[in-house]
Amino acid sequence: MQLMRKNDPRDRESGFDFLREHADAYVDELIAEFTAELDDPSLRCWLLELIAEARSAKALGVFRDQLESTDESLRFWAVRGLEMLDTRAAEQALDEARAGGWIA
């Protein structure tokens, strides 16, 4: 995470690449970082992408909450994360979001 918070784009990318390969091992930390991050929209998007890569049922609530986000990138990764979970609960969340008009 420290690399992803650096100003150097190469450092940020290196941190992201490492975590993408190990997202499942860090899912709790990634969820905590996503929840705490309020200032950097691009970092929030990357964190949500990493959480999706973890494919953990622990992230269901995070994805469900982001389906209503005003940020299109966060909505995209919320949908993608739910699709990657491929569970009944994830499908139900997607169906409810479609019915509510939050996603197409």
Side-chain angles (χ1 to χ4, degrees), residues 36-55:
E37 179 57 55
L38 302 174
D39 299 327
D40 188 340
S42 63
L43 181 57
R44 282 180 55 83
C45 187
W46 269 14
L47 288 167
L48 198 58
E49 181 178 349
L50 290 170
I51 294 166
E53 288 291 331
R55 293 177 172 86

Side-chain angles (χ1 to χ4, degrees), residues 1-5 12 14-38 42-56 58-59 62-63 66 74:
M1 266 319 301
Q2 290 175 348
L3 284 175
M4 288 184 66
R5 293 190 182 282
R12 291 174 67 110
S14 292
F16 177 81
D17 289 341
F18 172 82
L19 286 171
R20 184 175 40 205
E21 295 298 321
H22 305 284
D24 58 332
Y26 293 100
V27 68
D28 292 325
E29 292 89 344
L30 291 168
I31 290 171
E33 289 286 340
F34 177 81
T35 303
E37 179 57 55
L38 302 174
S42 63
L43 181 57
R44 282 180 55 83
C45 187
W46 269 14
L47 288 167
L48 198 58
E49 181 178 349
L50 290 170
I51 294 166
E53 288 291 331
R55 293 177 172 86
S56 173
K58 295 177 183 180
V62 174
F63 296 140
Q66 294 308 307
L74 293 177

Side-chain angles (χ1 to χ4, degrees), residues 76-94:
F76 172 84
W77 283 109
V79 169
R80 186 71 183 119
L82 289 167
E83 290 170 347
M84 291 168 76
L85 283 180
D86 195 28
T87 64
R88 183 171 295 165
E91 285 298 319
Q92 183 177 359
L94 287 168

